[in-house]
Amino acid sequence: MHYYKQTRYKLLRTFCVVAQKENITHAADQLHISQPTVSLQIQALEREMGEKLLERRGPSVRLTPEGKILYQLVQPIAAGIDSLKETFAASLGKMEQGELNIAAGQSTALYVLPKYLERFYAAYPGIRINLHNVEGQSGMKKLLEDQVDLAIGPLLQIPDTIVYKPFASFGSILITPETHPLAALQRPITLEDIGPYGLILPPRNMSTWRMVDTVFRQHEVPYSVAMEAGGWEIVKRYVEMGLGVSIVTEVCLTGNEKIVAIPLKDYFPSRSYGLIARRGKFFTPQAKRFIEMFDESFFMDDM
């Protein structure tokens, strides 16, 4: 019976990795076993459960509806066993080792995270922090595949599988060189005022560009883009040099820039930054401590 339980856990752990990777080859690499062994273990689990758990499409696999239900039941258990040593140490009041994996975009990593990472490192210097720099939907993919403990950043659409808890909000601002005509206006800036001047914007596939384009179109105000530049630090530098004006989120201002910042709250919504986690996820003790720095009630609410 003892051997049987050991074997069952092995099958379930293999199943979880296959479900996350959606690929037999990638799962075999992570588990350090052969592809045929992975396939045999999945078949054995399907026989035991009496249900088809995976749909195979060449090397790729997808969970069946029954497979999704089993994964939701098993994943927190498997993750809990994998981090049992760390959880046990934390329960004894020690948290001296382990890892914390966080997904964040460039702006979040540069402007939002530093003070929190500094606090966490001061409290738990033995915990290794792995910061995964992500763009667009790649952070969500890492979350759903359990490659990271959590993500931090803005989130416009919230799927049912995700919990999003905003902890900060920042408005949109127009930034101009100090000697720019718009900086000297003694009245609120309008989109019509901005339209004639070339904008410096992040690349077209980023959310800032889409937001700016949407707002100008909604108000039927023509605008032009003078330059595409990746990252707000680069955008600010080129605005300082007088190569154009830009619309950014106020979080990127440090106070050391030689630019003028003008609020645009009448036209652009503020952007919230929040904790992003997979619903029903098992959190390691170090992930829990980190999350509680942002939101002490996170684990009291219904996950």
Side-chain angles (χ1 to χ4, degrees), residues 170-182:
F170 301 95
S172 293
I173 50 172
L174 173 74
I175 57 173
T176 74
E178 291 177 326
T179 55
H180 197 275
L182 291 177

Side-chain angles (χ1 to χ4, degrees), residues 117-189:
L117 291 178
E118 193 174 33
R119 271 172 54 196
F120 188 81
Y121 181 76
Y124 309 108
I127 304 296
R128 175 176 161 176
I129 299 168
N130 300 322
L131 194 55
H132 300 249
N133 196 357
V134 294
E135 282 186 14
Q137 289 300 305
S138 62
M140 191 66 71
K141 188 170 187 293
K142 283 182 181 290
L143 262 186
L144 296 175
E145 291 181 358
D146 279 316
Q147 294 177 31
V148 295
D149 295 299
L150 66 147
I152 294 178
L155 191 63
L156 299 177
Q157 293 175 314
I158 306 164
D160 293 340
T161 51
I162 291 298
V163 179
Y164 179 61
K165 294 290 182 76
F167 60 82
S169 186
F170 301 95
S172 293
I173 50 172
L174 173 74
I175 57 173
T176 74
E178 291 177 326
T179 55
H180 197 275
L182 291 177
L185 282 183
Q186 298 298 307
R187 57 172 174 77
I189 295 273

Side-chain angles (χ1 to χ4, degrees), residues 7-266:
T7 305
R8 176 191 277 176
Y9 174 66
K10 191 184 291 182
L11 300 185
L12 290 170
R13 189 164 184 276
T14 298
F15 167 69
C16 284
V17 175
V18 171
Q20 289 159 11
K21 296 292 184 185
E22 295 187 339
N23 185 292
I24 297 287
T25 308
H26 297 166
D29 289 344
Q30 180 171 320
L31 292 161
H32 306 295
I33 56 179
S34 69
Q35 292 177 47
T37 302
V38 171
S39 297
L40 287 169
Q41 288 183 2
I42 296 298
Q43 288 165 17
L45 185 62
E46 287 180 328
R47 280 197 303 275
E48 185 184 339
M49 294 296 159
E51 297 286 351
K52 193 165 185 281
L53 302 173
L54 295 173
E55 292 173 4
R56 292 160 182 79
R57 299 174 184 175
S60 297
V61 291
R62 273 262 176 87
L63 288 173
T64 62
E66 295 77 14
K68 285 180 181 174
I69 291 169
L70 183 64
Y71 178 73
Q72 286 166 0
L73 290 171
V74 169
Q75 193 279 330
I77 299 167
I81 292 173
D82 285 346
S83 62
L84 183 59
K85 187 178 176 185
E86 294 161 14
T87 307
F88 179 57
S91 299
L92 298 176
K94 307 171 192 171
M95 200 155 72
E96 296 162 2
Q97 58 185 24
E99 291 190 356
L100 178 62
N101 285 277
I102 305 165
Q106 187 183 30
S107 62
T108 306
L110 270 175
Y111 311 113
V112 179
L113 273 179
K115 68 176 181 180
Y116 294 101
L117 291 178
E118 193 174 33
R119 271 172 54 196
F120 188 81
Y121 181 76
Y124 309 108
I127 304 296
R128 175 176 161 176
I129 299 168
N130 300 322
L131 194 55
H132 300 249
N133 196 357
V134 294
E135 282 186 14
Q137 289 300 305
S138 62
M140 191 66 71
K141 188 170 187 293
K142 283 182 181 290
L143 262 186
L144 296 175
E145 291 181 358
D146 279 316
Q147 294 177 31
V148 295
D149 295 299
L150 66 147
I152 294 178
L155 191 63
L156 299 177
Q157 293 175 314
I158 306 164
D160 293 340
T161 51
I162 291 298
V163 179
Y164 179 61
K165 294 290 182 76
F167 60 82
S169 186
F170 301 95
S172 293
I173 50 172
L174 173 74
I175 57 173
T176 74
E178 291 177 326
T179 55
H180 197 275
L182 291 177
L185 282 183
Q186 298 298 307
R187 57 172 174 77
I189 295 273
T190 65
L191 292 182
E192 285 79 7
D193 293 328
I194 301 168
Y197 298 101
L199 288 168
I200 302 173
L201 294 179
R204 208 175 274 266
N205 61 333
M206 304 301 280
S207 58
T208 299
W209 180 302
R210 290 197 297 274
M211 179 180 70
V212 168
D213 182 65
T214 300
V215 169
F216 274 91
R217 283 176 186 273
Q218 281 174 345
H219 290 82
E220 297 181 347
V221 175
Y223 73 98
S224 65
V225 177
M227 183 187 296
E228 278 189 49
W232 282 336
E233 287 304 308
I234 300 169
V235 169
K236 289 189 299 182
R237 180 77 184 107
Y238 289 156
V239 170
E240 283 180 331
M241 292 167 62
L243 300 180
V245 300
S246 187
I247 295 167
V248 299
T249 304
E250 63 185 335
V251 67
C252 77
L253 293 189
T254 63
N256 300 320
E257 299 89 357
K258 293 175 181 172
I259 53 179
V260 174
I262 302 162
L264 292 174
K265 61 179 182 291
D266 291 343

